[in-house]
Amino acid sequence: MINSSVVVADTEEQQSLVETIGQLLGRHWGPGSAHKLVQDPERVSEVPLWSELAEMGVAGLPVPESRGGSGGSWADFAVAAEALGAVVAPVPVIAVAGALGALSSPNVAGDELLARVASGRSVPAVAWTEHTGMPAVAGRFDAVAGDSADRVLVSGSAELILTPEADVVILLADGEAGPLLVAVSTSDSQAVRIERTQSLDLLRPLGALTAQRAVATVLAAGDDAVAAMRRSLVTAGLTLASESIGVASHCLWAAVDYAAVREQFGKPIGALQAVKHKCADMLAHVELARATAREVAELLDSGAGAAALDRAVALALLESITAAQHVTADYIQVLAGVGFTWEHEAHLYYRRAGASAPLFGGASAARECLDPTRHAAASTVATEVAPGSPAAELAAAVATLLPLHHARWGADDSFPARLSWQQRLHEAGWIAPHWPKEFGGRGLSIVDQVACDQVLAGSRAPMLAGVLGVNNVAPTLMHYGTAEQREHLAAIQAGTEVWCQGFSEPGSGSDLASLRTRAVLDGDEFIVNGQKIWTSEGMEGTHCLLLVRTDPQAPPHKGISALLVPMDTAGITRRPITQITGEGGFAEVFFDDVRVPRSALLGPLHEGWKVTMTTLGFERAGVIMMAGRLEQTVLDLVTTLTDHDLAAHARAELTDRLSEARAVGLLGKRALGRIAAGGAPGAEHSVIKLVWSTTMQAIGDTHLRVLGPAAITSATGAAAQRDYLMSRSATIAGGTTEIMRNILAERVLGMPK
């Protein structure tokens, strides 16, 4: 059986598919099969196992039943490829995917061959060369007229093809009147020769193809032929990406399992922070890659255009190849010496990752396709605004309100400017549309909430001044607040009250449960003494949701209470904290015998920790929206550099930042899809916070570097300098990346504390 954590199914049908494939592999590709087979690489064959898989319908998953297939989808096929990659199965899944993509393209006369491939009766190869999507693979083919209109004679070569055991080869040849998509049978050994070649991957046979006046059947001509071959690159690329994710995911979970039982220094190595952090990063690689590959499958199934598919598969290949190479290497590192032995499985996965990396041009071809400085780049995660939807209504309102705001404030992003924008939105009825209607909101679902945020992000609208009150404090008031306390909600919406959160202390940052600010009950009042620090909007805030310790004898997460405190209460002293940019934004707040009425207690006494956890549902949306805005940040940066003559390294850096941001956005989209379907977010939701932080920091570094010397003078580099300096906060605010990695390792991967 295949571990359900290794191969993630998105539907019940896919879960059944994975289980069925797992059972088949258990019978035909059990433990030890791989090592037994690679003792003699010439004996490695992709046909036996594929015949069994085809019989259960895997080969025809994305093909309609009416055309001889299983009636599934490309999403199903991607999950199957992931399962096969998880066991480094010797199967022709990439070549089959390429053939299915070409044969199912419009105006391709290949129904009979499509049905044969979908049923497994025919095992195809696709002869991609440097002229047709496989850079650095020499070869080309020419065709001359044959004995009938649908027959030609093909001559040429491809120095590398996948699946050398194929009984038919699909290729693009130059005909007398233009390009032709043709199918060549390999049964005529005089006209068609495929010689096997040695490969780094001992379980994936390769070959070199030579054709000499081989009889070929014409499947398509002209633009239709080119489009079919282009589509084959997408379907094959999706499959390679999915297989690579299976490779990486298996290595991740195998490393976690090994770290749980291997002991050093008297404890499992999985309890060592260095190992935890390595495994957390492995998880991030896998989840990012999976999100990009599943996006390609979704686009294929929805009939997306060729350009969108090209970009999507380029990103999926870049992320999945990177993931496979990093994770398989880290697997060996976690295993240490045992991972460097022939007898262990690790080198088979490492070989598969290395041998997959250059296919379809590898990372360099993917980056060239994604380069935002050469190609117009629009956000790929922005939700299409459906007519009549809440997002469409908001878009119309923003189109009116934003010019008025800019006329008054220009590019000013100060607190007063952002507060003014918040008040404009409130007057139009668009502050907190996700709040329930009874509290002044519109009751939008999380899907509509995220769509509305993407409208604001795409419009480059200012952030709200009172965002903590709107997104964090308000949900807690709705759940725990008394009728009197809930009266704050209207003021939060209107921006007449700005709330901050009194959480962090000098000795309690990520370890919030260790807070020491005390509140002693004296009759009908609490007397508060202590200090808070890093309080966002602490200087501007009118009110504070304050966490205090009310039972010092209780365990750390117990004995904490939440108080609603006006910031003008006697005994409160605020001091601004100047950030490394020279700007404010934070405050340290001192409480000296501050008297707060008992009626300010939010929720039960000593249950403040549980009270603050109430915002979880809103935080889910916030994390997803944060991910969606990241790509727009990179695109805005590219726009500011339009008039600069960028060096090659600068373009490469910007491409990497866009790719990283786009992958994070797709991870958010994937989490959103799970929530919208009524499920709980999976590992991808937990990963978002970590990868957003590291990507945001990389964007700041890149902005400074790509400008060169111009970035270090105030006249030309002010924005770059600010981004560079502010980026350091990305891996600190909201919990450091070190703590996030610990959380991922312990709570998602189940590693020991």
Side-chain angles (χ1 to χ4, degrees), residues 45 135 175 289 292 326-327 332 353 363 374 391 410 507 515 534 536 592 603 634 636 669 750:
S45 173
T292 61
H326 277 282
V327 176
I332 294 175
R374 295 182 181 274
L515 65 86
W534 312 122
S536 297
D592 296 302
V634 181
D636 289 346
K669 179 182 176 182

Short mmCIF file of all heavy atoms in Angstrom, two decimals, residues 45 135 175 289 292 326-327 332 353 363 374 391 410 507 515 534 536 592 603 634 636 669 750:
data_model
loop_
_atom_site.label_atom_id
_atom_site.label_comp_id
_atom_site.label_asym_id
_atom_site.label_seq_id
_atom_site.Cartn_x
_atom_site.Cartn_y
_atom_site.Cartn_z
N SER A 45 12.63 -3.33 -18.21
CA SER A 45 11.57 -3.15 -19.21
C SER A 45 10.41 -2.38 -18.59
O SER A 45 10.02 -2.63 -17.44
CB SER A 45 11.08 -4.50 -19.72
OG SER A 45 9.95 -4.33 -20.57
N PRO A 135 15.17 20.80 -25.73
CA PRO A 135 16.44 21.48 -25.98
C PRO A 135 17.64 20.58 -25.69
O PRO A 135 17.61 19.75 -24.78
CB PRO A 135 16.39 22.67 -25.01
CG PRO A 135 14.94 22.94 -24.82
CD PRO A 135 14.29 21.59 -24.84
N GLY A 175 7.50 18.41 -43.84
CA GLY A 175 7.02 17.90 -45.11
C GLY A 175 7.26 18.90 -46.22
O GLY A 175 7.72 20.03 -46.00
N ALA A 289 5.58 22.30 -5.11
CA ALA A 289 5.59 21.61 -6.40
C ALA A 289 4.23 20.98 -6.70
O ALA A 289 3.73 21.06 -7.82
CB ALA A 289 6.68 20.54 -6.40
N THR A 292 1.70 23.49 -7.98
CA THR A 292 1.90 23.93 -9.37
C THR A 292 1.50 22.85 -10.36
O THR A 292 0.94 23.15 -11.42
CB THR A 292 3.37 24.33 -9.60
OG1 THR A 292 4.23 23.21 -9.37
CG2 THR A 292 3.78 25.48 -8.69
N HIS A 326 16.42 18.58 -4.51
CA HIS A 326 16.73 18.96 -3.13
C HIS A 326 16.32 17.87 -2.15
O HIS A 326 17.07 17.52 -1.24
CB HIS A 326 16.01 20.27 -2.77
CG HIS A 326 16.72 21.50 -3.22
ND1 HIS A 326 17.81 22.02 -2.58
CD2 HIS A 326 16.50 22.32 -4.27
CE1 HIS A 326 18.24 23.11 -3.20
NE2 HIS A 326 17.46 23.30 -4.24
N VAL A 327 15.11 17.35 -2.31
CA VAL A 327 14.58 16.42 -1.31
C VAL A 327 15.29 15.07 -1.37
O VAL A 327 15.56 14.47 -0.33
CB VAL A 327 13.06 16.27 -1.48
CG1 VAL A 327 12.51 15.22 -0.52
CG2 VAL A 327 12.36 17.61 -1.23
N ILE A 332 19.23 11.49 1.55
CA ILE A 332 20.52 10.85 1.76
C ILE A 332 21.24 11.47 2.95
O ILE A 332 21.86 10.78 3.76
CB ILE A 332 21.38 10.93 0.49
CG1 ILE A 332 20.74 10.09 -0.64
CG2 ILE A 332 22.80 10.44 0.75
CD1 ILE A 332 21.44 10.21 -1.97
N ALA A 353 15.77 11.72 -9.89
CA ALA A 353 15.70 13.19 -9.85
C ALA A 353 16.74 13.82 -10.75
O ALA A 353 16.45 14.77 -11.51
CB ALA A 353 15.88 13.68 -8.41
N ALA A 363 15.55 23.48 -16.01
CA ALA A 363 15.25 24.75 -15.33
C ALA A 363 15.48 25.95 -16.23
O ALA A 363 14.74 26.94 -16.17
CB ALA A 363 16.09 24.86 -14.07
N ARG A 374 10.70 39.67 -20.31
CA ARG A 374 10.62 39.43 -21.75
C ARG A 374 9.19 39.18 -22.22
O ARG A 374 8.87 39.38 -23.37
CB ARG A 374 11.47 38.22 -22.12
CG ARG A 374 12.96 38.41 -21.91
CD ARG A 374 13.73 37.19 -22.35
NE ARG A 374 15.17 37.33 -22.14
CZ ARG A 374 15.99 37.90 -23.00
NH1 ARG A 374 15.53 38.40 -24.14
NH2 ARG A 374 17.29 37.98 -22.74
N ALA A 391 -17.32 40.22 -5.87
CA ALA A 391 -16.05 40.80 -6.33
C ALA A 391 -16.29 41.80 -7.45
O ALA A 391 -15.61 42.84 -7.52
CB ALA A 391 -15.11 39.68 -6.81
N GLY A 410 -2.51 61.08 -3.03
CA GLY A 410 -1.41 60.71 -3.92
C GLY A 410 -0.87 59.34 -3.57
O GLY A 410 -1.62 58.39 -3.36
N GLY A 507 10.21 39.21 26.93
CA GLY A 507 10.64 37.83 27.11
C GLY A 507 9.70 36.82 26.49
O GLY A 507 9.85 35.61 26.70
N LEU A 515 4.06 34.70 28.57
CA LEU A 515 3.87 36.12 28.92
C LEU A 515 3.75 36.30 30.43
O LEU A 515 3.27 35.42 31.16
CB LEU A 515 2.65 36.68 28.20
CG LEU A 515 1.25 36.13 28.53
CD1 LEU A 515 0.63 36.85 29.71
CD2 LEU A 515 0.33 36.26 27.33
N TRP A 534 6.66 45.41 20.50
CA TRP A 534 6.38 45.09 19.09
C TRP A 534 4.87 45.16 18.80
O TRP A 534 4.33 44.35 18.05
CB TRP A 534 6.90 43.70 18.70
CG TRP A 534 8.31 43.43 19.12
CD1 TRP A 534 8.75 42.43 19.91
CD2 TRP A 534 9.47 44.21 18.79
NE1 TRP A 534 10.10 42.52 20.10
CE2 TRP A 534 10.58 43.62 19.42
CE3 TRP A 534 9.67 45.37 18.03
CZ2 TRP A 534 11.87 44.11 19.32
CZ3 TRP A 534 10.96 45.88 17.93
CH2 TRP A 534 12.03 45.25 18.57
N SER A 536 1.99 46.38 16.94
CA SER A 536 1.67 47.04 15.67
C SER A 536 0.55 48.04 15.87
O SER A 536 -0.45 47.75 16.55
CB SER A 536 1.24 46.00 14.63
OG SER A 536 2.29 45.10 14.35
N ASP A 592 1.23 50.44 34.28
CA ASP A 592 1.61 50.67 35.68
C ASP A 592 0.34 50.90 36.50
O ASP A 592 -0.28 51.98 36.44
CB ASP A 592 2.53 51.89 35.79
CG ASP A 592 3.85 51.67 35.07
OD1 ASP A 592 4.55 50.71 35.41
OD2 ASP A 592 4.16 52.45 34.14
N GLY A 603 -14.52 36.85 27.33
CA GLY A 603 -14.54 35.41 27.52
C GLY A 603 -14.33 35.04 28.97
O GLY A 603 -14.24 35.91 29.85
N VAL A 634 5.65 41.09 -6.94
CA VAL A 634 6.75 40.92 -7.89
C VAL A 634 6.44 41.61 -9.22
O VAL A 634 7.30 42.27 -9.82
CB VAL A 634 7.03 39.43 -8.14
CG1 VAL A 634 8.20 39.25 -9.10
CG2 VAL A 634 7.34 38.72 -6.83
N ASP A 636 4.59 44.18 -9.69
CA ASP A 636 4.74 45.62 -9.49
C ASP A 636 6.22 46.01 -9.55
O ASP A 636 6.58 47.06 -10.10
CB ASP A 636 4.14 46.04 -8.16
CG ASP A 636 2.61 45.98 -8.16
OD1 ASP A 636 2.02 45.87 -9.26
OD2 ASP A 636 2.01 46.03 -7.07
N LYS A 669 -4.21 29.06 -3.31
CA LYS A 669 -5.39 28.68 -4.08
C LYS A 669 -5.80 27.24 -3.78
O LYS A 669 -6.99 26.92 -3.67
CB LYS A 669 -5.10 28.85 -5.57
CG LYS A 669 -6.26 28.47 -6.48
CD LYS A 669 -5.87 28.62 -7.95
CE LYS A 669 -6.99 28.15 -8.87
NZ LYS A 669 -6.60 28.25 -10.30
N GLY A 750 4.81 15.18 12.34
CA GLY A 750 4.74 14.29 13.49
C GLY A 750 6.09 13.92 14.06
O GLY A 750 6.24 12.85 14.68
#
